[in-house]
Amino acid sequence: MAHNRAPLDDAMIQTGLGDLPNWRGDRSGITRTVELPSFPAAIAVVDAVAQVAEEMDHHPDIDIRWRTLTFHNVTYSEKAVTALDFQLARRIDDVVARY
């Protein structure tokens, strides 16, 4: 993928989503919903993702509903999905896999 913050076209987004089976989306953002075994586990995932996001200086929107989390990635400065959103999605998947 091109420059990390360059907006991706529809074909590039669909290709990226092909590598991330738990994610869906379009130019407005990519999203994954995950259910954890407990509320404390969900909060632990949020905390771990927060650390990753700070490290990357790229932050997802996170909706917390008891033990269900929805992550939404979009590069707000570009008002589009970029390679950075896919990098963050892979890192979120790595965190979720530990729980």
Side-chain angles (χ1 to χ4, degrees):
M1 293 187 181
H3 182 278
N4 280 353
R5 293 191 186 268
L8 302 179
D9 64 26
D10 292 330
M12 294 170 91
I13 292 168
Q14 291 311 308
T15 297
L17 290 171
D19 295 332
L20 295 168
N22 295 310
W23 291 79
R24 64 187 186 287
D26 54 31
R27 289 183 191 210
S28 66
I30 60 172
T31 303
R32 178 181 181 184
T33 299
V34 60
E35 187 172 314
L36 283 300
S38 66
F39 183 71
I43 297 305
V45 168
V46 169
D47 185 53
V49 168
Q51 292 176 31
V52 166
E54 283 294 297
E55 174 188 312
M56 292 181 67
D57 191 28
H58 190 59
H59 304 85
D61 291 333
I62 305 172
D63 181 66
I64 304 168
R65 307 287 172 162
W66 185 36
R67 57 190 183 120
T68 301
L69 305 175
T70 300
F71 299 96
H72 181 79
N73 299 355
V74 65
T75 303
Y76 285 105
S77 62
E78 302 302 320
K79 298 180 180 73
V81 172
T82 68
L84 200 53
D85 298 304
F86 282 97
Q87 291 168 5
L88 180 57
R90 284 190 282 287
R91 298 284 303 272
I92 290 170
D93 283 352
D94 291 344
V95 169
V96 170
R98 295 194 308 251
Y99 293 83

